[in-house]
Amino acid sequence: MKLPESVSNIDLIGMNPTETLPWMEDYHCPPYITLAHSFNAPEGWVVENRILMQYSLQYVVKGAADYPVGSKPYRTEEGDLLFHRPGEIHSIRTIAGEPYHCISIVFHFGAVPFPFDELYGGRHLLGKFSGHAIERMLTELVHLYRQPGLPAQLQCQGLLMRILGGAAEFEHGPEHRKEPANLAKLILIKNYIIHHYDEDIQHQDLERVSGLTRNYIILSFKRVFGLSPMQYLVSVRVQKAKELAVQTDLSVGQIARSVGYADVHTFGKMFKKKTGVSLTQYCGSLTTHYLNTRPRIASTEEEDGGQS
C-alpha cells in the first residue's frame, strides 16, 4: 500500500518492528510490509555490512550480484530468491559488467512470532523462480504496494503470505517431492534443540529423544532443515545470544553461559565465525545503525532517495 507523504520519507526499514507500528496505523494485522519496490542498481552500487531488524526477500529480476549473509557467501543470479532474518549482517555487491535489477520486500510480524525455521530451516537461498508463479506474485506485490487504499494493502499482505508459503513448498529436486520418513521425529529433535539449547546436547541425547540412529539423524535432519543438528544448535545459540545482547544488560560471559558455553572464549570464536563480528562489535553496529537511521521526515527541498 502506498504510504502517506508524511510517512514515505521515513526510513521504516531501518527501524525495529515496534518502532514502525505508529507509522502504519492503517494496518489491522500482520504481516507489516515496510518496503516493496523494484530497483535498478547503478554501476558499482554496493551495500556493506547492513543489519536490518526485519525480514527481507531479495529477488533477482535480471543480472547478478554477490550477496553474502553472515559468513555465507552467495552469488545471486536471475531468478534467485534470497531470504534473510532480523539481525543478520549482509552485503550486496554488484558485479562489474553485470546489470542488477532486483525486487526488495522488507516486512515483519510485529510482536507475533512466525515459524520461519520450520519453513526454511537455515536456508537463505530459497530457489530459482524465473517464469514461476512466485515471480509474477512478487511483481504484482510491488505494483499494488504503490496503490492507495485498504483493498490494495490487503492484497499485498495476501500475496506476501502466498510467496512465503510457495517458496517453502518449492521443489528443488526429487528428494523434496514427498514427505520424508520419520518427519515427526525429526521435528521432535528440532524442538528438543530449541528448548534445550543452553545444555550440553550430544548426539546420544537426540538418539534417546527420537529413537533414531546417529547417522540417520544427521543425514535426514540436514535434508529436511538445511543444517545438521549441531549446526542448527549453533544457529539457535547465535540467535539467542543476539536477543540477549539487545534485550538485556548481561555481560558477554553471562550471555555465553546462558546459551550453553562454559568458556567465553569458545563462545566468542563461535559467534565471530558465524556472524563475521564479535558480540561487542555486533551490539556496536546496531547502535551505529540506529543513530544513522533514526526516523526523520525530509524537508520539501530534499529529494526522496531510493531504498534497497
Side-chain angles (χ1 to χ4, degrees):
M1 175 184 176
K2 186 177 181 180
L3 296 170
E5 185 64 28
S6 61
V7 180
S8 60
N9 292 328
I10 296 173
D11 181 20
L12 290 176
I13 71 168
M15 299 181 186
N16 289 317
T18 53
E19 294 175 320
T20 70
L21 297 181
W23 301 102
M24 306 183 76
E25 57 186 15
D26 291 336
Y27 275 75
H28 300 283
C29 63
Y32 302 94
I33 304 171
T34 56
L35 176 71
H37 81 159
S38 179
F39 177 69
N40 273 300
E43 186 173 355
W45 182 78
V46 172
V47 171
E48 285 288 356
N49 296 325
R50 182 173 67 174
I51 299 174
L52 299 178
M53 298 313 293
Q54 303 175 41
Y55 297 99
S56 178
L57 290 170
Q58 190 91 348
Y59 180 71
V60 184
V61 178
K62 184 178 180 181
D66 290 321
Y67 203 123
V69 181
S71 61
K72 297 180 180 180
Y74 297 101
R75 169 68 62 93
T76 57
E77 300 175 337
E78 184 172 330
D80 285 337
L81 180 62
L82 188 140
F83 167 77
H84 53 84
R85 299 155 180 79
E88 290 191 300
I89 299 174
H90 58 278
S91 301
I92 313 171
R93 305 180 186 121
T94 53
I95 300 166
E98 282 274 6
Y100 185 58
H101 178 196
C102 66
I103 289 175
S104 299
I105 313 292
V106 182
F107 61 97
H108 65 82
F109 287 82
V112 179
F114 197 83
F116 279 108
D117 285 341
E118 210 166 300
L119 285 178
Y120 307 135
R123 290 187 295 142
H124 295 111
L125 274 176
L126 303 184
K128 192 174 287 288
F129 296 97
S130 293
H132 191 275
I134 284 179
E135 182 180 57
R136 295 191 291 275
M137 286 189 281
L138 286 162
T139 302
E140 186 179 358
L141 196 163
V142 169
H143 170 72
L144 285 168
Y145 190 74
R146 302 190 186 109
Q147 308 305 312
L150 183 59
Q153 176 188 299
L154 292 172
Q155 289 182 73
C156 284
Q157 292 175 288
L159 283 167
L160 176 58
M161 297 303 285
R162 289 174 63 193
I163 289 164
L164 295 174
E169 292 182 347
F170 184 67
E171 294 179 349
H172 298 271
E175 70 274 16
H176 294 271
R177 291 176 187 159
K178 60 181 180 179
E179 184 175 293
N182 293 310
L183 178 59
K185 291 184 177 181
L186 295 173
I187 293 174
L188 185 66
I189 291 171
K190 178 172 168 289
N191 289 337
Y192 180 84
I193 293 172
I194 290 172
H195 291 105
H196 297 268
Y197 66 88
D198 56 342
E199 301 175 11
D200 182 24
I201 296 176
Q202 301 295 322
H203 282 106
Q204 54 262 38
D205 298 314
L206 306 182
E207 291 177 308
R208 174 179 51 79
V209 166
S210 65
L212 304 174
T213 65
R214 173 192 173 110
N215 288 340
Y216 182 90
I217 291 171
I218 293 171
L219 294 173
S220 298
F221 193 96
K222 187 167 187 176
R223 187 170 67 248
V224 173
F225 299 114
L227 298 169
S228 71
M230 293 306 154
Q231 288 171 332
Y232 183 70
L233 172 61
V234 170
S235 74
V236 171
R237 286 173 167 174
V238 167
Q239 187 58 39
K240 294 295 182 181
K242 289 178 179 178
E243 292 174 6
L244 289 171
V246 172
Q247 298 171 6
T248 72
D249 294 324
L250 296 177
S251 68
V252 174
Q254 290 171 319
I255 291 174
R257 288 189 291 275
S258 296
V259 299
Y261 288 87
D263 179 38
V264 68
H265 300 294
T266 302
F267 165 77
K269 287 194 293 184
M270 177 280 298
F271 190 91
K272 187 166 187 177
K273 180 179 179 181
K274 294 301 178 183
T275 66
V277 295
S278 69
L279 185 61
T280 302
Q281 290 170 325
Y282 171 76
C283 294
S285 67
L286 290 180
T287 302
T288 302
H289 181 74
Y290 174 75
L291 291 173
N292 290 335
T293 58
R294 284 180 296 179
R296 180 180 66 87
I297 298 179
S299 70
T300 55
E301 298 177 355
E302 291 177 318
E303 293 183 358
D304 180 20
Q307 302 288 350
S308 62

